[in-house]
Amino acid sequence: MKISFFDYEMSNLSPKFGQLLCGCMLGYDPRNPRGYNLQTFTLTDYKVRRWDDRELAKKLRDALEGCDIIVSWNGKHFDIPFLNGRLAEYQLREVNSPRHEDLMFTARRHLRCMGAKDSKLDTIAKKLRLPVQKTPMEPRDWVRAIGGHRPSYDRILQHCQHDVKVLAFVWERLKHLVREIK
């Protein structure tokens, strides 16, 4: 059974006004808990055509469809609809989503008593005192990356990679609370 944690980074909250910048998937095999496999998906031609996320959207869709179960943080209400919006821009078919566990809702349901002020992944990771935490990002990194500044784009890639690792740690702490993955 192939389980993958995923996260995407975008240039805007709307797929009509923004684009995909990158995506990461961390494959996990429950029979081999140490066997994580990190995949990073980037813009095909960042240097010349960084506004063209068509191939990135297709690769992300195909990677998701190759999983038995996907795990996200607010992926059901944001990441998947955003990806589908970008696919629609190119008149490509939407994601045929496998079973999907959105851990944000599991955390909301079960961790209210922890006094978390919100349901951001960063807040929950801190409340759970995980050994890894999210990396802080500056808004200017997104602006610069969209404008072609490669070091800023690389920071966004690293941020996305780190986010899926944090998500995997949260999964390890909360998976016993998951009732059914639909």
Side-chain angles (χ1 to χ4, degrees):
M1 176 170 297
K2 185 173 181 186
I3 300 173
S4 287
F5 307 98
F6 76 93
D7 186 38
Y8 307 148
E9 301 300 334
M10 298 81 159
S11 65
N12 191 292
L13 296 177
S14 166
K16 287 282 187 196
F17 294 94
Q19 70 175 78
L20 292 158
L21 295 174
C22 66
C24 290
M25 291 183 70
L26 186 65
Y28 168 76
D29 183 347
R31 297 167 302 209
N32 180 14
R34 296 174 196 245
Y36 287 95
N37 176 30
L38 178 65
Q39 288 182 281
T40 303
F41 301 88
T42 60
L43 293 167
T44 305
D45 188 2
Y46 177 78
K47 189 173 184 177
V48 177
R49 296 179 53 85
R50 66 186 152 273
W51 60 86
D52 184 356
D53 64 348
R54 178 190 182 101
E55 292 304 312
L56 175 58
K58 287 187 339 188
K59 286 179 185 175
L60 293 171
R61 177 198 64 203
D62 295 346
L64 286 175
E65 291 178 347
C67 300
D68 297 312
I69 297 173
I70 53 176
V71 179
S72 68
W73 195 270
N74 198 26
K76 284 186 177 181
H77 291 277
F78 182 69
D79 295 80
I80 296 292
F82 192 99
L83 175 58
N84 282 332
R86 295 308 299 154
L87 290 164
E89 276 298 304
Y90 297 112
Q91 298 169 349
L92 299 169
R93 69 172 176 80
E94 292 186 347
V95 175
N96 183 9
S97 188
R99 293 169 45 203
H100 186 169
E101 174 60 27
D102 195 324
L103 275 181
M104 184 180 79
F105 298 103
T106 301
R108 275 187 188 169
R109 223 177 10 257
H110 296 286
L111 300 179
R112 286 188 189 125
C113 60
M114 291 178 62
K117 65 182 189 291
D118 57 50
S119 56
K120 293 179 183 171
L121 181 57
D122 185 41
T123 303
I124 301 305
K126 286 177 181 169
K127 286 289 182 184
L128 293 173
R129 295 187 180 104
L130 297 179
V132 295
Q133 298 292 320
K134 284 184 50 97
T135 55
M137 290 294 295
E138 296 292 326
R140 70 175 176 251
D141 284 323
W142 267 266
V143 174
R144 289 177 179 168
I146 294 164
H149 188 247
R150 187 64 201 217
S152 294
Y153 185 63
D154 290 341
R155 279 193 289 282
I156 291 170
L157 294 174
Q158 291 168 352
H159 173 74
C160 190
Q161 292 166 345
H162 199 75
D163 277 2
V164 294
K165 292 174 186 174
V166 172
L167 183 59
F169 272 93
V170 171
W171 168 260
E172 286 301 323
R173 294 288 298 276
L174 300 183
K175 66 183 175 185
H176 69 282
L177 299 172
V178 174
R179 290 184 236 149
E180 178 183 8
I181 301 174
K182 298 177 183 177

